[in-house]
Amino acid sequence: MIKASIIKEFRLIFSDLHSLAVLFLMPISFMLIMTFALSNKAEDLTKSINLNITQQDSNLAESLLKAYLSDVGFSQDINQQADVTLELATGFESALFADQANSVITFSHATSLSPQMTSLAKQHLQIALAKVKLHIYLLDAGQLSESMPLAEQMSRVSEQTNQLRLVSFKREENYQAVQHSIPSWLVFGVFFIVLPISITLISESQNGTLLRVTTFPISNTAYFSAKLLAFYLVSFTQAIVLMIIGFTVIPKLVDTPSLNVLQLVPALPLLAVTCATAVTFGAVIASQIKSHEQAIVIGGGTNILLAAISGLMVPLDIMPKAMQTIAQLSPMHWAQSGLKNLFISDSDALSLTTALPLIIFSVICGVLALWLFELKVRKLQWK
C-alpha cells in the first residue's frame, strides 16, 4: 500500500507542471543570473564609472593622477554625466609631500552610484595618489627619465607598487565566485520544495482526499511519510540536476575552467541530508497552510527571508556581526557552508559536525510535521 501511495504521489507531482517549474527552472535561473552578475572583476567594474577631475592649476601631479585613474579603467568622458567628481585645490602637488596632510581633493559622487562602487572608486583613488607620489619621487631621484614615454614611466612605477606579483593565487577570482554561488543557489532552490508540498496538501484537503485517507488500510503516518518520501526523491533529483548545471554550464558563462563532475560524489551525502531538511521543514509549513495564496506568501516568503538572513543572497562576511550570529541558526546556512567547504577545501569527507545539526533539525521537523498533519486530518473530520 505504501508503494502504491508513493506512485500516486509521483503522479500528482508530475501532473502539476507549475510546481516542477518552481523546483527546477527558478533555481536554475537564479544560479545562472546571480553567478554571472557576480563574475565581474574589479577592473571591469571601474569601466562603468565616469570620472570628472576639475583642477585649479595644471601641473605634473594633476596630469599623472588623471593618467593613473584612466589606466585602471575609469572613463573620463566630459560629454557624459559624472559618477565621481574630484575637485583638486590649488597647491595639490606640493601638498602631496607636506609633513602635515591637508585636504586638497574634494570627492563627490552621484546619488545613483551604489555604496560598493563608491568604495571601489575611493580605493582606486588612494592607490593612484600613492603612485603619483612615487612617480614624482622617482623623477626627482633620477630613476625615471622625463624623456621616456609616459606609458613606460607608468609601467615602471606600477611594477614598483604591484606587490601582488610576490603572491601566487591557487584559485582564480571567477573560479572562486562559481564555487561560492553554486552551493548558495542550490540550497535556495532545494528549499522551494515547500510550495509543491503545500499545493498538494491544499488540493487533497479541498477534494476530500485527506478525509478518505481514514478509510484506507494505511495509517495517517504511513500515508504522510510516503508523500514526503516521494517529494524527497524529487528534491534529491533536483539537487543533482542543479549541481551538474553548476559544474558544467556556469563556468562556461563566466569564462572559467569547468569543475570536475566527480567532485559531486563526496557532496552526495550532504545533498541527501540537505534535501531531507528542506522536505521536512517544508512539510511543517505546508501542514499549516490553508490556501494557494498562503502557499505563495508564507511558503515562498519564508524561503526568501531565510535565504536573506542565511548568507545566500548577501555574503556572510560582509554582514553586520548581529546578522552573522542570526545566520548561524539557519539550516540554509548549515547546508550552504557545508557544501562550500567540500568544494573549496581540499577535504572530500563529510564531517559529522556539518551534517549533525541538519540531521537533528530534520528529525525534529519530521516529527512535528507528522503531528501537525494528524491534527489537520482530525480537524477535517470534525467539520
Side-chain angles (χ1 to χ4, degrees), residues 329-351:
L329 306 175
S330 166
M332 279 193 182
H333 171 71
W334 304 335
Q336 163 202 228
S337 59
L339 288 171
K340 283 182 179 179
N341 289 337
L342 284 175
F343 297 152
I344 296 174
S345 68
D346 296 328
S347 173
D348 60 357
L350 173 62
S351 67

Side-chain angles (χ1 to χ4, degrees), residues 15 35 57 151 190 200 215 225 229 237 276 333:
S15 66
T35 305
D57 47 22
V190 165
T200 300
T215 65
S225 299
L229 179 58
T237 303
H333 171 71

Side-chain angles (χ1 to χ4, degrees), residues 215-236:
T215 65
F216 294 170
I218 184 174
S219 66
N220 290 341
T221 299
Y223 175 81
F224 193 60
S225 299
K227 182 184 295 294
L228 295 188
L229 179 58
F231 278 107
Y232 173 78
L233 294 175
V234 171
S235 179
F236 191 61

Side-chain angles (χ1 to χ4, degrees), residues 123-156:
Q123 292 173 19
H124 279 299
L125 174 60
Q126 184 177 10
I127 295 171
L129 287 170
K131 287 184 177 181
V132 169
K133 291 181 68 173
L134 177 60
H135 196 132
I136 295 175
Y137 173 79
L138 292 177
L139 283 173
D140 289 343
Q143 297 182 35
L144 282 180
S145 172
E146 293 184 9
S147 62
M148 286 183 186
L150 180 60
E152 186 177 346
Q153 294 181 39
M154 292 173 60
S155 176
R156 293 197 178 185

